Amino acid sequence: MRENSARGVSTLLDATLCLLLVSASAMTLASALHESESEQELDAESADQTAELLTTSTARVTYSAGDRTRTAHDTLAGLLASAVRTDVRAAAPGEPTTANSTFVEAVAQRLNRTLRRTEASVEVVARWPVGRNATTESGIVVGDRPPRDAAVHAAGFVAREVRFTVRTWSATRQREATESRFRTGSQGWSA
C-alpha cells in the first residue's frame, strides 16, 4: 500500500510540475507577443510624436558665415526647412556656399542629437519640390536609414513649403547610421 501511495504522490508531483512548466511557457509566449504588439504600437505613435516634436520644439544653432558667427533660433522643423531652402539657394549659380554649408551642417547635427534621444529609430526627410525656385527636387535627410526588414511607420507635414516625412521603427533593431548622418542634394536626389 505504501508503494502505491508513494507512486501516487510521485505522479501527482510530476503532473503538478508539468502544469507549472506549461503555464510558465504559455505566460512567456503571451508576454513576448504582448511586447511585440506594444512595440508596433510604439512605432506607429512614435512617427506622429516625432513629427510633433519637430514642429513644437525650438532650438538654437550657431554657425560661421565668413568671419562672423551667427545664431539661428526656430522650431526644429523651421530650422530644417531653412536649411533646405539654403541648400537650394547654394545650388543656384553665383551663390556663396561657405556660410550655407556650415548652416546646413549645424542644423543637421542639432537634429541628429535630438533624434538620438527618442525611443525609436528615426529618419527625417525634408524635400523642396521642383518648380519652387528649383529646377530639380532638393532635400536633406537626417537620422538613421531604416533596415530593409523593419516595419516602418511614417508621418508627414509641410512647413514653409518644405515637405517633411518622418519614418520610425523599433529602437531595438540594430542601427545602421553614423553619428552625424545627413545627405543633401539637388541633382537626381532621392531618399
Side-chain angles (χ1 to χ4, degrees):
M1 190 77 148
R2 284 186 178 183
E3 191 176 302
N4 284 342
S5 68
R7 188 175 291 153
V9 170
S10 175
T11 303
L12 180 62
L13 286 174
D14 288 345
T16 304
L17 183 60
C18 180
L19 284 173
L20 285 173
L21 290 174
V22 169
S23 297
S25 297
M27 289 176 58
T28 302
L29 181 60
S31 174
L33 290 173
H34 179 70
E35 286 177 15
S36 176
E37 290 172 2
S38 296
E39 189 175 282
Q40 289 176 358
E41 289 172 9
L42 171 68
D43 287 346
E45 292 173 7
S46 64
D48 291 332
Q49 290 171 349
T50 304
E52 185 176 335
L53 173 77
L54 294 174
T55 58
T56 59
S57 295
T58 59
R60 186 179 323 247
V61 295
T62 302
Y63 62 100
S64 59
D67 296 341
R68 297 174 23 196
T69 300
R70 294 188 175 188
T71 301
H73 183 263
D74 202 344
T75 63
L76 293 169
L79 287 169
L80 191 52
S82 295
V84 170
R85 295 175 95 153
T86 298
D87 193 51
V88 168
R89 283 193 302 262
E95 287 291 323
T97 59
T98 306
N100 296 340
S101 65
T102 60
F103 175 68
V104 172
E105 288 175 23
V107 169
Q109 289 173 1
R110 179 64 177 94
L111 251 65
N112 269 309
R113 283 194 309 269
T114 300
L115 296 178
R116 280 194 302 268
R117 290 184 286 220
T118 62
E119 290 183 27
S121 296
V122 181
E123 178 185 56
V124 178
V125 180
R127 293 183 177 164
W128 182 262
V130 177
R132 302 274 186 163
N133 301 329
T135 56
T136 60
E137 188 171 69
S138 183
I140 297 174
V141 179
V142 181
D144 298 337
R145 176 173 283 154
R148 293 178 193 258
D149 64 339
V152 178
H153 299 276
F157 63 94
V158 175
R160 299 185 189 154
E161 301 179 27
V162 174
R163 292 181 312 203
F164 287 82
T165 304
V166 177
R167 295 182 180 112
T168 61
W169 60 99
S170 173
T172 58
R173 297 205 185 260
Q174 184 176 0
R175 293 184 177 213
E176 297 180 351
T178 60
E179 189 164 308
S180 60
R181 178 177 103 56
F182 75 98
R183 298 188 309 268
T184 66
S186 58
Q187 292 182 322
W189 187 84
S190 66

